[in-house]
Amino acid sequence: MSLATDSPVHSSSSGDFAAFLDAELDSISSDSSPNEEEVNDEFNSDSSDSSPNEEAENDSEIESQRIKRCRVETVENIEDPKGSTSHGSLEQNLVSSSKDACTHPGSFGDMCILCGQMLNEETGGVTFGYIHKGLRLGNDEIVRLRRTDMKNLLRQKKLYLVLDLDHTLLNSTRLMHITLEEEYLYSQIDSLQDVSKGSLFKLDFLQMMTRLRPFVRMFLKEASQMFEMYIYTMGDRAYAMEMAKLLDPRREYFDARVISRDDGTQRHQKGLDIVLGQENAVLILDDTETELVDNLDDRDVRQVLKIVRKDVLKGCKIVFTRVFPTQFQADNHHLWKMAEQLGATCSRDLDTSVTHVVSQDAGTEKSRWALKNKKFLVHPRWIEAANYLWQRQPEENFPVNQPKNH
């Protein structure tokens, strides 16, 4: 039978993938089947008349038959779990045919995950230890899995969402860093028995106190309807797993998709090479910026975000005054760049087309010009708020301080 085409498996997550690998290992290491026992009994009855070489050959033959039988039984007895995305089917999703030589699409330890052959050298590709310890997939197989997963997600009208932990979903502090002024927090700690009802937790195992961001559980519930979600943190594996338990105690949202710095392929840097999702369909929510390239393919979610972002301050022409340090090149300042990314036009000179003057001092010449000509005079926080909320904010909420009278 063809392992690639006859298997009924259609898994929907890396958690299903991990469960299947466990089942595969259990099958291979399980007790002998009745047929095997008969073979063993027959072998034992004749062993007294066999030479040592014959015994060794018989041992090898029996072990080979046992492994083959276990592998076939595993494939035939797998039930069809719900779902359709790519992380699951070891038999269906991994490329092979009984008629062709196995291409060894990946390895589990030193063993090919498809044919079971022991591999002498490490295969290329990437290790996906967060899915299952020791799992490594080749580059071609990663590409194929991502394409398959992308088709399935688009049928569900979903994309991928990679979520940072610290300063994004929660905030953590080591107990040794709790100040005297913050010690009152110990009286507000919630129980770890049912974390779904709390937001502030003391984790003695990690010597850490963690507070979840407001409304984070509501956010995860709603986001799960639109995305297949990952956690990706530069914290270590133990920290990542404990935080996942606080955020997702029933494993409804992330399952095995929890990535830590221990899983990355680069030190001190996150990368999407260990996410089983097409990069052009991945959204990242992080407290630090994702470096983007200019020549993006069509239908790339990053390009869509850039377009949406440019609509926030579209039609605004901004002049800055008393915002940048003296002699600082204005167009290199982060506020200037932020305004342009939001769709505004920035200028050094005043003219009738200017719509906003951004200042920290209402007494400057340009600030007075704005008031005289009925232009918006706003504080720099107006731009920052628009960037944070992805929406133009009411100018009257960001007034500029009037000069003090001497």
Side-chain angles (χ1 to χ4, degrees):
M1 64 185 291
S2 170
L3 297 182
T5 57
D6 292 0
S7 169
V9 178
H10 299 276
S11 174
S12 62
S13 72
S14 56
D16 293 331
F17 196 9
F20 180 78
L21 287 172
D22 283 332
E24 177 76 355
L25 289 177
D26 290 341
S27 295
I28 293 178
S29 62
S30 62
D31 293 335
S32 301
S33 64
N35 290 334
E36 181 184 339
E37 291 174 359
E38 293 175 6
V39 173
N40 285 337
D41 289 340
E42 180 180 348
F43 170 72
N44 289 333
S45 65
D46 296 336
S47 61
S48 59
D49 299 327
S50 301
S51 66
N53 289 338
E54 290 173 337
E55 290 179 6
E57 291 176 0
N58 287 336
D59 284 339
S60 176
E61 176 90 16
I62 292 171
E63 179 64 11
S64 176
Q65 291 177 359
R66 186 183 73 81
I67 292 175
K68 289 179 181 178
R69 183 160 51 251
C70 287
R71 191 173 296 120
V72 172
E73 289 171 355
T74 299
V75 174
E76 292 177 340
N77 291 330
I78 294 172
E79 294 181 356
D80 185 7
K82 295 181 180 179
S84 60
T85 51
S86 71
H87 300 170
S89 170
L90 193 60
E91 260 48 18
Q92 180 176 1
N93 279 345
L94 297 173
V95 178
S96 181
S97 170
S98 60
K99 298 179 181 179
D100 302 321
C102 180
T103 58
H104 307 314
S107 61
F108 187 70
D110 296 327
M111 182 178 69
C112 174
I113 55 180
L114 192 57
C115 71
Q117 178 180 333
M118 298 302 293
L119 305 177
N120 295 327
E121 297 180 359
E122 183 183 76
T123 60
V126 179
T127 298
F128 289 85
Y130 69 93
I131 296 178
H132 205 292
K133 186 177 180 181
L135 174 64
R136 187 174 184 85
L137 297 177
N139 294 326
D140 290 344
E141 187 60 17
I142 292 172
V143 171
R144 199 190 64 79
L145 287 173
R146 285 175 174 165
R147 288 175 179 169
T148 302
D149 208 30
M150 188 67 220
K151 292 177 182 177
N152 294 326
L153 274 189
L154 288 178
R155 287 194 205 102
Q156 301 175 45
K157 297 184 178 180
K158 285 187 174 184
L159 296 173
Y160 306 94
L161 180 61
V162 177
L163 296 166
D164 179 44
L165 284 180
D166 298 287
H167 311 297
T168 302
L169 298 181
L170 50 81
N171 289 289
S172 296
T173 303
R174 293 198 175 277
L175 298 182
M176 67 175 68
H177 297 152
I178 300 292
T179 65
L180 291 175
E181 292 78 10
E182 295 171 331
E183 286 189 352
Y184 73 92
L185 293 172
Y186 286 113
S187 63
Q188 300 181 7
I189 291 172
D190 294 305
S191 171
L192 291 172
Q193 298 302 314
D194 185 1
V195 298
S196 63
K197 297 181 179 179
S199 62
L200 179 64
F201 305 98
K202 180 172 174 283
L203 304 169
D204 292 321
F205 168 68
L206 298 173
Q207 284 295 293
M208 192 169 287
M209 185 178 291
T210 296
R211 183 183 287 279
L212 306 186
R213 293 288 295 272
F215 306 107
V216 68
R217 299 193 192 282
M218 181 185 299
F219 164 76
L220 292 176
K221 181 178 180 180
E222 294 185 4
S224 67
Q225 305 302 311
M226 299 179 283
F227 301 98
E228 182 169 285
M229 299 188 294
Y230 286 77
I231 284 176
Y232 198 153
T233 177
M234 291 307 289
D236 61 25
R237 185 73 183 159
Y239 175 73
M241 296 308 296
E242 289 300 315
M243 297 303 104
K245 290 177 185 177
L246 297 181
L247 291 165
D248 186 17
R250 298 182 181 87
R251 299 188 65 160
E252 301 173 274
Y253 308 130
F254 304 109
D255 202 6
R257 297 184 298 274
V258 180
I259 305 174
S260 70
R261 71 179 180 215
D262 302 329
D263 304 304
T265 57
Q266 304 177 60
R267 292 189 64 186
H268 312 303
Q269 186 174 346
K270 294 180 180 179
L272 292 180
D273 54 346
I274 56 174
V275 174
L276 282 179
Q278 293 276 43
E279 284 193 17
N280 62 0
V282 176
L283 292 169
I284 301 172
L285 184 59
D286 206 304
D287 63 316
T288 55
E289 289 284 343
T290 337
E291 197 66 31
L292 299 180
V293 293
D294 293 329
N295 56 339
L296 302 175
D297 295 331
D298 294 335
R299 298 183 63 193
D300 192 312
V301 69
R302 296 167 292 185
Q303 186 67 26
V304 174
L305 286 176
K306 288 178 69 175
I307 294 172
V308 172
R309 195 179 189 188
K310 278 189 172 293
D311 282 339
V312 175
L313 295 182
K314 185 177 180 180
C316 299
K317 185 172 182 179
I318 297 173
V319 169
F320 295 89
T321 175
R322 201 65 64 84
V323 173
F324 312 137
T326 306
Q327 304 302 321
F328 190 92
Q329 188 170 340
D331 54 6
N332 282 337
H333 195 274
H334 77 277
L335 279 175
W336 183 293
K337 293 181 178 180
M338 186 182 293
E340 289 185 331
Q341 290 170 352
L342 294 171
T345 302
C346 298
S347 175
R348 295 179 177 83
D349 304 315
L350 295 172
D351 60 49
T352 56
S353 64
V354 171
T355 59
H356 293 73
V357 172
V358 177
S359 177
Q360 298 187 71
D361 184 354
T364 69
E365 181 180 347
K366 290 178 180 178
S367 295
R368 292 195 298 270
W369 177 90
L371 295 174
K372 180 180 178 180
N373 289 276
K374 298 183 179 180
K375 306 292 185 178
F376 291 112
L377 178 63
V378 293
H379 193 275
R381 285 194 296 269
W382 176 73
I383 297 176
E384 294 173 341
N387 182 66
Y388 182 77
L389 297 171
W390 286 57
Q391 188 174 18
R392 179 172 168 176
Q393 300 299 296
E395 285 80 0
E396 60 269 19
N397 292 347
F398 299 87
V400 180
N401 294 330
Q402 295 296 321
K404 296 180 179 179
N405 296 323
H406 297 287

